[in-house]
Amino acid sequence: MMIGDVAEKSGFSVHTLRYYEKIGLLPEADRDAGGRRSYDRDVLRWLEFLGRLKDLGMPIRDRVLYARMRAEGDSTIEARRELLQTYRDELAKRVASLSETLDVLDAKIASYDTTGRPLHGAPK
């Protein structure tokens, strides 16, 4: 796949893909006879995963670290697991907090639905 195809399918811009390759988030692409980047389809799954790491708030330095460890192979599996576990734990705390906030909002909305004004004891 050419870089434009990867950009279209992944949602990352061509500029971002080139940058990711430069800093080591993407492996160096093969080049066709004209010198244009050519990626295999596996890059899309990797980019989807990188996007999820970005969405959960993992800084680029840790994404690069993870990519480097991944490129080193099986000897880094434990270190990769530990890095992901750290971010997973933080995400679980945020999800729990958001769930609590959702419960408060649902209760507040329900109080307005039944009386048109907050229930006694409910925050205003």
Side-chain angles (χ1 to χ4, degrees):
M1 269 187 304
M2 295 290 135
I3 196 167
D5 297 326
V6 174
E8 182 180 325
K9 290 177 189 236
S10 70
F12 289 95
S13 71
V14 169
H15 175 76
T16 297
L17 295 173
R18 287 183 184 130
Y19 175 68
Y20 278 9
E21 186 177 318
K22 179 180 176 181
I23 65 171
L25 275 177
L26 285 180
E28 192 171 319
D30 293 331
R31 301 285 180 147
D32 68 10
R36 294 174 300 226
R37 288 171 173 82
S38 177
Y39 296 93
D40 80 23
R41 292 200 156 294
D42 290 340
V43 77
L44 294 176
R45 282 192 10 226
W46 174 239
L47 285 167
E48 180 184 356
F49 184 67
L50 287 175
R52 292 190 184 277
L53 295 179
K54 180 182 178 187
D55 290 346
L56 73 82
M58 182 184 281
I60 199 159
R61 71 178 178 277
D62 283 348
R63 285 179 272 152
V64 170
L65 172 63
Y66 184 89
R68 287 184 182 150
M69 288 190 293
R70 177 180 179 251
E72 290 175 21
D74 288 350
S75 66
T76 65
I77 286 175
E78 184 60 25
R80 285 183 274 160
R81 190 199 67 72
E82 288 174 10
L83 180 63
L84 293 178
Q85 185 69 51
T86 297
Y87 284 96
R88 188 237 176 258
D89 292 347
E90 291 173 13
L91 178 61
K93 288 176 189 173
R94 287 196 337 242
V95 167
S97 177
L98 287 171
S99 181
E100 290 172 8
T101 301
L102 182 60
D103 290 345
V104 168
L105 289 174
D106 285 345
K108 185 67 166 174
I109 291 166
S111 76
Y112 285 126
D113 288 344
T114 59
T115 66
R117 43 192 172 103
L119 294 175
H120 179 70
K124 293 182 182 186

